Amino acid sequence: MKAIQISGERQMNVVNVEEQELHAGEVLLRLEYVGFCGSDLNTWLGKNPMVKMPVIPGHEVGAVIEQVGAGVPEYLKPGMVVTCNPYTNCGKCASCRNLRVNACEHNETLGVQRNGAMRERIVLPWEKVIPAEGLDPRTCALIEPMSVGFHAVNRAQVTDIDVVVVIGCGMVGMGAIVRAALRGATVIAADIDDEKLALAKEMGAAYAINTIQEDVHARLQEITSGFGPDVIIEAVGSPVTYNMAVNEVAFTGRVVCIGYAKTEVSFQTKFFVQKELDIRGSRNAQPSDFRAVIHYLQGGNCPVDRLISNVVTPEDAPQAMQQWSEQPGKVFRILVKFV
């Protein structure tokens, strides 16, 4: 069957791979749309230290069940539109013992530590297959990245009395904006791109700050009457934005970090103590986050078309990655269509 493979820095090709055998307890999915994630871009650029090369990328899935193995629950049926939970968990580490399986010490994500979903068909354990009633496969390919943003809002324990800043309005950041707004918080979107900021306001942000063109500190002080935001969610992964989060969050505020900084970050650690901050990491997503995103998308209020920057064939994927690398700030999601 046809698959996309990254074999080295800026080396992506369409290859033929063997069909996987279907065993008891497994489900065979026919992939219709698979999204390229920022981690896939970094893999292609040779900047992803976690990846095992060569690799089939892809973990943002919109698929249809083609066949089910013996012992699979009856609610999973051929023809059903689904997405998938692309993470593994060992069941034995500290994270798994604490029921935070999304942060499993030995996690292997599809398309990173193991071959992913950029192929025509894939076999998965039934427990990882998530029905998405009422959604089409194209929309399903947006569920996983939005779930990561939803999970960050859970980590921040956002409520309706909070002012929440989301730094970075990519797909994950948009998920955080939506979830925080759904919880009744006052949401401030921060980014360097005015087009993304405009869309963030459509998706629930009450305010938008262009961090290049505006005085971020002055604007946040103005909006919060001098207190500073209760929560800042960092969804970029830059030393500048990490420091911004710590510097600008209110005393006794919460900082949640999603983005991986690619270099070391230096902090004025006095703010950790003086402000008595809660600084929390946020990794992947829990099953409940997937369900919450599906519920949101089923409401029909998400501007799905505006979140999909491009849909390409497998043969056109290398060119799409090249274009993304040249203008990373202008892309939400690139989907590969397999049917």
Side-chain angles (χ1 to χ4, degrees):
M1 65 176 168
K2 183 185 297 185
I4 294 172
Q5 185 182 74
I6 300 174
S7 55
E9 183 177 338
R10 295 180 182 268
Q11 296 178 23
M12 177 184 288
N13 297 287
V14 176
V15 297
N16 287 315
V17 297
E18 291 186 5
E19 297 276 358
Q20 297 173 286
E21 292 185 14
L22 180 67
H23 299 109
E26 295 179 334
V27 177
L28 173 63
L29 303 183
R30 183 180 76 250
L31 282 308
E32 296 205 0
Y33 293 88
V34 183
F36 274 123
C37 171
S39 65
D40 298 321
L41 177 62
N42 284 328
T43 297
W44 183 75
L45 290 170
K47 297 180 179 179
N48 188 346
M50 295 183 291
V51 75
K52 296 179 181 179
M53 297 285 233
V55 68
I56 297 172
H59 54 258
E60 302 175 0
V61 167
V64 174
I65 295 178
E66 191 162 279
Q67 189 178 349
V68 298
V72 171
E74 291 186 1
Y75 74 86
L76 294 173
K77 302 179 183 297
M80 181 178 287
V81 175
V82 297
T83 189
C84 76
N85 183 328
Y87 325 120
T88 64
N89 58 285
C90 69
K92 299 176 182 179
C93 70
S95 300
C96 291
R97 182 177 62 183
N98 292 327
L99 303 181
R100 289 164 65 176
V101 296
N102 58 292
C104 174
E105 181 180 355
H106 306 292
N107 166 66
E108 293 186 349
T109 298
L110 284 174
V112 185
Q113 296 92 349
R114 57 187 173 131
N115 281 326
M118 288 278 179
R119 58 178 100 181
E120 293 179 287
R121 285 172 294 280
I122 191 170
V123 172
L124 295 173
W126 72 263
E127 296 91 343
K128 298 298 182 181
V129 178
I130 304 172
E133 183 179 357
L135 301 182
D136 60 83
R138 189 180 69 131
T139 301
C140 286
L142 304 180
I143 292 171
E144 191 275 342
M146 293 193 76
S147 297
V148 176
F150 272 46
H151 182 65
V153 173
N154 282 340
R155 291 284 292 142
Q157 297 175 299
V158 170
T159 72
D160 59 338
I161 62 172
D162 288 322
V163 176
V164 179
V165 175
V166 178
I167 306 175
C169 296
M171 274 296 302
V172 171
M174 287 296 186
I177 288 166
V178 168
R179 187 56 159 166
L182 288 172
R183 290 190 173 193
T186 300
V187 182
I188 305 168
D191 200 279
I192 62 174
D193 186 85
D194 286 333
E195 185 177 347
K196 286 185 175 180
L197 289 170
L199 183 54
K201 293 190 74 172
E202 289 184 33
M203 297 185 72
Y207 301 92
I209 299 176
N210 186 309
T211 57
I212 291 179
Q213 299 176 6
E214 301 180 67
D215 184 328
V216 176
H217 177 74
R219 284 280 283 135
L220 291 178
Q221 290 294 297
E222 174 191 357
I223 294 168
T224 63
S225 301
F227 289 103
D230 304 285
V231 174
I232 296 187
I233 296 174
E234 199 286 334
V236 176
S238 160
V240 172
T241 51
Y242 262 77
N243 271 285
M244 183 187 298
V246 170
N247 294 346
E248 298 299 339
V249 74
F251 274 63
T252 67
R254 287 101 73 197
V255 174
V256 174
C257 305
I258 310 174
Y260 283 90
K262 298 174 183 62
T263 58
E264 291 186 1
V265 183
S266 298
F267 292 102
Q268 290 288 341
T269 54
K270 67 178 182 180
F271 288 139
F272 295 14
V273 179
Q274 287 181 347
K275 293 185 176 183
E276 199 173 60
L277 298 181
D278 289 334
I279 301 177
R280 306 172 185 179
S282 182
R283 183 183 178 194
N284 299 332
Q286 288 271 26
S288 59
D289 301 309
F290 282 86
R291 293 197 302 272
V293 172
I294 290 169
H295 179 71
Y296 162 67
L297 291 171
Q298 287 169 334
N301 296 317
C302 180
V304 171
D305 290 343
R306 295 186 62 190
L307 294 175
I308 299 171
S309 305
N310 199 5
V311 178
V312 300
T313 66
E315 290 75 14
D316 290 335
Q319 182 181 356
M321 293 297 274
Q322 177 63 40
Q323 292 171 346
W324 189 7
S325 70
E326 293 170 357
Q327 291 187 306
K330 293 295 184 181
V331 172
F332 282 109
R333 270 304 173 269
I334 297 169
L335 304 185
V336 178
K337 184 177 181 180
F338 279 90
V339 294

